[in-house]
């Protein structure tokens, strides 16, 4: 049925199950829309899903949020219960109960105005592998509900929430060795009647409000109040984790025995860490999103003092129409200290045969999962070993797609992949048995999925990784590593700790009130400072000017030669000699330096500027045997002086030069502040005059690591002019 426009501007359509849905849309403040919902989730059920990490052609432009949903569907084992939270929810519950009464695989139990309990019957026959995803499971309930509300007229309306790890055992049963707590829930999905949608491409946000009606029942005009449930802290001090130091490494040794026998190809066991949660979950969510951007960021209040805060890097299953896609992640290495070190780590990761094997096995299993439910020949690898970079880790990722068969839906695709080999192992069923036998506690939500099941048949879910589970005031973080026969036990244990560290940092930083990254007040140091930037026909001079302007200084760029009247008109507090091609003689740099010195002005030279200063003061220049054009170097800081103050003893910088100052001829008044590994001068500073220079480009992308380039510019603006004033006094 097509959408109808009503007299008040609302839109209405009828679903497959005969429910009339009325949608009213109102605009929302784009800049603050999501933030307001995050605050509400401290004491109200709901979910916020957002993506603040983009990879071309892979992730989405949308953020979505729901708060105070009128109804939820929950499960534990084969028991399912549907709860209404307000008078609007009781209407929805009644509509759903009528639909479920017609499903023979379900045994309906107790029913009140606000709750329906039911049990999913065990299969009464053998299901072939091709039809395994059609067996009676809790997804039988979800299929009936989506069938009731199905319509292609709305892409936002659906079920929002979380799927727990134990759901996989309805699809592939195993003997459970670990005791599950009585209050465990394997699934919590909300059916909202109001949805916030944020479109980052269009920079717009809106709220869709829904009413539902069928057979004389309607949510319109019904009460919507839901009592809040404020977050509660506790005084309990939890243990560090569920493993003692070295115990995970011992587990790696046990796994190697299974690899040796051929029982397993790979397996992904985890360990759990604990922190007392002294901050609001919303504060932890904001901090985690700031320090660990991810394609699947989420914050869910599940009710009953249980929250999920996550920054998952991995898509689980996404279905759009008949297209199903996944992005297996395997292969991990630590981030470097700066972009240059990152590039070295990426090369190391891509050249690692172990990491390549990890991802290969994951993707081969994933292709097998799709082949169960997809058209023959449609399963394809469309991206291989692509690099994704997160706050502390670098991953290799494959991108795999298929086309669902006509008799399969999103739930079939979901179940066939439960759970991803990247959190279980291969062969998958044997890996899950190993995990159940050797992990110390049930996984609960970890390794499951979060996301949205659309009533239009689409699905968008992310794996529940990099997740903080907050339960009764205690935060839990679980992290695993992909183990192979050639795994190093100590390195694998360290990897689990590294993966957990970003979440633990978010908890601790939120507790200390550090909810946003502290920035140095760079803009203040250059306030009131006039800078004359002498341009030697260089291709980087305007980036250099931009760096100086970021300090708050006023920068005027003049191409050489610089006449006297420019000095008199600009009245600079600092003269900067830019980089450039050729040699200092090509630009008569001695004349510029002479004019600046005659006015007792501080001078800072960059690259060609260093060569010019060395030559002007009586030094000689030499030519490198091999030019350094666009090459990074790790330089040693010999004397911090002005330029390198506050930086470490080693800094990665970007070099563009063929000429260098001969240290043997450098006047004694100059101090060498930095040099390359082969002894080439990389920094100089005059012992008495306000003069300093570097033989590299602080504004280069190669000098971005640790914000080193900007910190050098800040030092020059803040301190070089002071040196001149002290000398003048």
């Amino acid at each position: 049925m097509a959408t109808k426009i009503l007299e008040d501007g609302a839109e209405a359509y009828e679903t497959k199950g005969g429910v009339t849905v009325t949608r009213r849309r109102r605009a929302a403040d784009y800049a603050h829309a999501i933030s307001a919902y995050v605050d509400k989730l401290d004491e109200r059920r709901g979910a916020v899903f957002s993506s603040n990490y983009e990879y071309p052609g892979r992730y989405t432009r949308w953020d979505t949020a729901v708060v105070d949903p009128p109804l939820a569907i929950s499960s534990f084992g084969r028991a399912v219960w549907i709860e209404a939270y307000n008078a609007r929810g009781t209407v929805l519950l009644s509509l759903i109960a009528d639909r479920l009464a017609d499903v023979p695989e379900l045994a309906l139990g107790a029913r009140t105005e606000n709750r329906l309990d039911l049990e999913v019957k065990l299969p009464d026959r053998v299901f072939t592998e091709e039809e395994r995803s059609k067996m009676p499971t809790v997804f039988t309930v979800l299929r009936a509900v989506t069938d009731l509300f199905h319509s292609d007229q709305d892409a936002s309306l659906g079920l929002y929430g979380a799927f727990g790890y134990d759901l996989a055992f309805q699809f592939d049963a195993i003997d459970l060795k670990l005791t599950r707590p009585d209050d465990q829930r394997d699934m919590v999905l909300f059916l909202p009647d109001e949805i916030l949608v944020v479109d980052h491409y269009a920079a717009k946000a809106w709220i869709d409000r829904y009413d539902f009606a069928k057979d004389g029942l309607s949510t319109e005009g019904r009460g919507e109040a839901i009592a809040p449930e404020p977050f509660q802290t506790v005084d309990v001090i939890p243990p560090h984790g569920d493993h003692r130091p070295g115990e995970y490494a011992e587990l790696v040794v046990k796994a190697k025995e299974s690899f040796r026998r051929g029982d397993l190809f790979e397996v992904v066991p985890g360990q759990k860490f604990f922190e007392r949660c002294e901050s609001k979950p919303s504060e932890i969510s904001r901090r985690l999103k700031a320090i660990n951007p991810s394609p699947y960021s989420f914050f869910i209040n599940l009710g009953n003092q249980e929250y999920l805060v996550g920054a998952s890097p991995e898509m689980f299953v996404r279905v759009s129409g008949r297209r199903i896609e996944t992005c297996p992640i395997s292969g991990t290495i630590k981030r470097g200290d700066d972009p240059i070190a990152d590039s070295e780590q990426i090369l190391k990761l891509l050249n690692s045969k172990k990491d390549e094997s990890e991802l290969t096995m994951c993707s081969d299993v994933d292709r097998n999962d799709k082949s169960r439910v997809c058209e023959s020949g449609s399963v394809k690898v469309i991206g291989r070993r692509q690099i994704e970079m997160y706050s502390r880790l670098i991953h290799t990722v494959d991108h795999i797609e298929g086309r669902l068969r006509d008799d399969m839906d999103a739930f079939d695709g979901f179940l066939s992949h439960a759970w991803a080999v990247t959190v279980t192992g291969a062969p998958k069923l044997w890996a899950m048995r190993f995990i159940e036998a050797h992990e110390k506690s049930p996984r609960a939500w970890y390794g499951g999925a979060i996301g949205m099941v659309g009533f239009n048949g689409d699905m968008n879910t992310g794996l529940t990784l990099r997740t903080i589970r907050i339960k009764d005031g205690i935060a839990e973080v679980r992290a695993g590593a992909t183990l192979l026969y050639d795994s190093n036990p100590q390195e694998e244990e360290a990897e689990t700790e590294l993966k957990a560290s970003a979440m633990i940092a978010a908890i601790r930083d939120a507790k200390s009130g550090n909810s946003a990254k502290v920035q140095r007040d760079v803009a203040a140091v250059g306030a009131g400072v006039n800078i004359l930037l002498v341009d030697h026909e260089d291709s980087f001079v305007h980036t250099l000017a931009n760096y100086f302007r970021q300090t708050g200084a006023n920068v005027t760029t003049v191409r050489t030669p610089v006449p006297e009247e420019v000095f008199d008109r600009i009245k600079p507090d600092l003269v900067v000699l830019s980089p450039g091609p050729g040699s200092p003689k090509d630009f008569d740099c001695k004349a510029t330096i002479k004019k600046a010195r005659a006015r007792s002005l501080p001078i800072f030279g960059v690259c060609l500027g260093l060569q010019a200063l060395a030559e002007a003061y009586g030094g000689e220049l030499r030519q490198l045997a091999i030019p350094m054009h666009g090459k990074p170097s790790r330089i040693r800081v010999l004397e911090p002086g002005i330029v390198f103050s506050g930086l470490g003893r080693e800094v990665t910088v970007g070099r563009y030069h063929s000429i260098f100052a001969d240290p043997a001829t450098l006047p004694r008044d100059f101090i060498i502040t930095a040099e390359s590994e082969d002894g080439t001068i990389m920094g100089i500073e005059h012992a008495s005059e306000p003069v300093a220079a570097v033989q590299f480009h602080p504004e280069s992308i190669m000098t971005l690591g640790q914000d080193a380039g900007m910190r050098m510019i800040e030092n020059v603006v803040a301190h070089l002019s002071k040196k001149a004033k002290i000398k003048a006094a």
Side-chain angles (χ1 to χ4, degrees):
M1 173 183 170
T3 299
K4 292 182 179 180
I5 307 299
L6 305 182
E7 290 183 2
D8 64 354
E11 299 172 307
Y13 60 88
E14 186 173 307
T15 72
K16 181 180 178 182
V19 179
T20 299
V21 179
T22 304
R23 179 180 61 212
R24 292 176 174 85
R25 178 168 296 181
R26 66 183 188 273
D29 177 13
Y30 169 75
H32 304 101
I34 285 292
S35 180
Y37 276 71
V38 170
D39 289 335
K40 293 176 182 178
L41 291 185
D42 280 327
E43 59 181 25
R44 298 185 177 279
R45 290 180 182 87
V48 170
F49 298 115
S50 58
S51 179
N52 56 339
Y53 180 102
E54 185 58 87
Y55 192 100
R58 181 172 298 166
Y59 304 121
T60 65
R61 72 192 199 188
W62 308 100
D63 289 352
T64 311
V66 300
V67 167
D68 278 342
L71 181 137
I73 304 172
S74 305
S75 73
F76 176 58
R78 302 185 76 81
V80 180
W81 58 98
I82 306 173
E83 296 174 284
Y85 299 129
N86 58 17
R88 293 170 63 81
T90 61
V91 173
L92 290 168
L93 179 59
S94 182
L95 299 179
I96 291 171
D98 289 346
R99 174 66 181 87
L100 297 182
D102 297 329
V103 181
E105 295 90 351
L106 304 179
L108 272 59
R111 164 83 186 274
T112 67
E113 184 182 31
N114 297 316
R115 177 167 172 147
L116 169 65
D117 286 272
L118 56 98
E119 191 85 13
V120 180
K121 298 176 183 177
L122 291 169
D124 58 3
R125 65 177 179 86
V126 173
F127 283 75
T128 67
E129 287 304 302
E130 289 77 10
E131 60 178 355
R132 177 180 287 275
S133 58
K134 304 292 188 185
M135 291 191 307
T137 65
V138 298
F139 289 86
T140 304
V141 177
L142 302 185
R143 278 196 171 100
V145 173
T146 55
D147 185 67
L148 173 65
F149 292 102
H150 178 80
S151 172
D152 59 6
Q153 299 300 306
D154 195 299
S156 298
L157 191 59
L159 301 173
Y160 292 76
F163 301 87
Y165 179 80
D166 281 4
L167 287 176
F169 305 140
Q170 298 193 29
F171 181 77
D172 274 320
I174 68 170
D175 292 331
L176 300 184
K177 308 292 186 182
L178 298 167
T179 301
R180 269 60 180 175
D182 293 337
D183 62 349
Q184 176 172 307
R185 292 175 289 178
D186 298 337
M187 178 179 74
V188 176
L189 296 176
F190 299 124
L191 200 171
D193 58 0
E194 189 170 281
I195 303 171
L196 168 71
V197 179
V198 181
D199 182 349
H200 289 296
Y201 287 6
K204 292 181 179 179
W206 62 87
I207 296 171
D208 284 332
R209 172 76 170 186
Y210 297 89
D211 277 296
F212 306 87
K214 183 185 180 186
D215 298 335
L217 279 176
S218 175
T219 58
E220 196 155 2
R222 296 287 186 122
E224 57 187 73
I226 301 175
E229 184 187 349
F231 172 67
Q232 298 175 7
T233 58
V234 294
D235 294 330
V236 176
I237 303 296
H240 172 71
D242 64 355
H243 284 61
R244 57 175 168 75
E247 192 171 9
Y248 189 89
E250 294 170 5
L251 178 57
V252 178
V253 176
K254 291 181 182 178
K256 285 177 174 254
E257 297 172 4
S258 295
F259 299 143
R260 190 176 292 109
R261 289 194 302 269
D263 297 344
L264 295 172
F265 308 141
E266 64 179 3
V267 68
V268 193
Q271 62 171 317
K272 187 163 63 173
F273 304 88
F274 299 98
E275 286 280 326
R276 186 169 62 172
C277 193
E278 299 180 44
S279 330
K280 291 181 179 180
S282 61
E283 294 169 353
I284 297 173
S285 175
R286 285 194 172 91
R287 184 58 184 150
L288 182 59
K289 192 171 181 180
I291 66 175
N292 197 19
S294 72
Y296 286 91
S297 288
F298 56 92
F299 175 26
I300 308 174
N301 181 340
L302 297 164
N304 302 340
Q305 291 295 310
E306 187 172 18
Y307 303 79
L308 296 178
V309 179
S312 176
E314 185 167 348
M315 179 190 298
F316 177 53
V317 169
R318 186 162 71 188
V319 176
S320 303
R322 309 304 300 170
R323 182 179 186 244
I324 180 172
E325 59 182 319
T326 53
C327 295
I329 291 180
S330 200
T332 302
I333 198 167
K334 184 180 179 180
R335 287 287 301 264
D337 292 332
D338 50 55
I340 305 306
D342 276 343
S343 68
E344 294 169 353
Q345 291 291 83
I346 289 169
L347 288 174
K348 189 183 298 183
L349 178 59
L350 290 175
N351 286 318
S352 167
K353 292 301 180 183
K354 172 188 175 294
D355 289 291
E356 182 179 6
S357 296
E358 282 185 20
L359 186 57
T360 296
M361 282 191 263
C362 289
S363 293
D364 274 345
V365 174
D366 184 278
R367 291 166 64 233
N368 180 72
D369 293 338
K370 285 185 178 60
S371 295
R372 187 200 305 260
V373 295
C374 288
E375 293 177 354
S376 177
S378 71
V379 179
K380 300 183 185 303
V381 178
I382 58 176
R384 174 63 173 162
R385 298 199 81 197
Q386 297 170 318
I387 292 293
E388 289 189 8
M389 301 175 69
Y390 296 93
S391 63
R392 304 187 182 201
L393 300 169
I394 304 171
H395 293 302
T396 46
V397 185
D398 282 355
H399 193 181
I400 304 172
E401 69 172 7
R403 183 172 179 81
L404 291 170
R405 300 201 312 262
D406 290 340
D407 61 334
M408 295 292 173
D409 59 18
F411 293 116
D412 294 302
F414 187 98
L415 282 166
S416 186
H417 287 78
W419 287 113
V421 64
T422 51
V423 293
T424 54
K428 191 187 293 186
L429 191 56
W430 284 54
M432 287 194 288
R433 290 185 183 127
F434 182 92
I435 288 168
E436 181 68 18
H438 292 91
E439 286 191 336
K440 294 299 189 72
S441 56
R443 288 191 163 189
W445 303 105
Y446 174 82
I450 51 84
M452 180 261 193
V453 178
F455 289 153
N456 66 348
D458 291 349
M459 173 184 286
N460 190 4
T461 57
L463 268 177
T464 312
L465 300 173
R466 314 289 157 80
T467 297
I468 302 164
R469 179 200 184 206
I470 303 168
K471 176 62 175 167
D472 296 328
I474 301 298
E476 304 172 1
V477 176
R478 190 184 290 264
T482 302
L483 310 184
L484 303 177
Y485 178 70
D486 50 357
S487 287
N488 179 292
Q490 288 71 36
E491 289 178 1
E492 301 293 4
E493 180 166 330
E495 182 176 316
T496 65
E497 294 168 350
L498 179 62
K499 286 177 176 177
S501 64
M503 274 67 68
I504 293 172
I507 299 166
R508 293 174 178 173
D509 288 352
K511 179 173 63 178
S512 64
N514 185 20
S515 58
K517 185 178 179 181
V518 176
Q519 299 287 340
R520 300 188 325 279
D521 190 9
V522 175
V525 302
V529 177
N530 289 328
I531 296 176
L532 172 60
L533 175 54
V534 181
D535 176 15
H536 299 121
E537 301 178 1
D538 186 57
S539 294
F540 311 115
V541 67
H542 297 296
T543 303
L544 186 61
N546 177 279
Y547 270 46
F548 278 103
R549 289 190 181 104
Q550 288 181 55
T551 70
N554 179 49
V555 181
T556 302
T557 308
V558 178
R559 188 166 293 182
T560 189
V562 184
E564 297 277 0
E565 68 88 11
V566 169
F567 279 92
D568 296 336
R569 174 161 46 88
I570 294 175
K571 295 182 173 57
D573 300 298
L574 172 66
V575 175
V576 177
L577 305 177
S578 85
S583 70
K585 291 185 175 66
D586 294 322
F587 303 100
D588 194 12
C589 290
K590 283 185 178 181
T592 303
I593 294 170
K594 183 178 180 180
K595 293 171 186 175
R597 292 184 70 191
R599 292 167 169 80
S600 299
L601 294 175
I603 307 173
F604 177 60
V606 178
C607 211
L608 181 93
L610 181 146
Q611 300 158 20
L613 286 166
E615 194 172 56
Y617 279 81
E620 297 180 7
L621 305 179
R622 300 283 183 264
Q623 189 166 308
L624 290 169
I626 301 175
M628 296 293 289
H629 297 157
K631 302 284 182 66
S633 280
R634 195 76 174 166
I635 66 170
R636 293 189 291 264
V637 176
L638 307 177
E639 294 288 341
I642 288 174
V643 177
F644 300 102
S645 176
L647 295 169
R649 284 294 177 182
E650 290 193 354
V651 183
T652 299
V653 300
R655 296 169 63 181
Y656 290 89
H657 67 110
S658 300
I659 300 170
F660 67 98
D662 183 356
T665 65
L666 192 70
R668 292 181 179 179
D669 287 339
F670 276 99
I671 301 165
I672 298 175
T673 55
E675 65 181 12
S676 66
E677 292 180 350
D678 62 1
T680 303
I681 291 176
M682 288 287 109
I684 59 173
E685 188 173 322
H686 200 280
S688 58
E689 295 184 26
V691 174
V694 294
Q695 186 57 67
F696 56 84
H697 288 240
E699 84 288 351
S700 170
I701 194 172
M702 294 176 284
T703 320
L704 284 175
Q706 300 175 322
D707 209 17
M710 190 65 234
R711 292 169 69 182
M712 294 175 199
I713 298 301
E714 180 186 357
N715 286 338
V716 168
V717 174
H719 303 302
L720 198 59
S721 59
K722 288 182 181 179
K723 184 173 181 178
K725 291 175 182 176
I726 292 171
K727 181 176 182 293

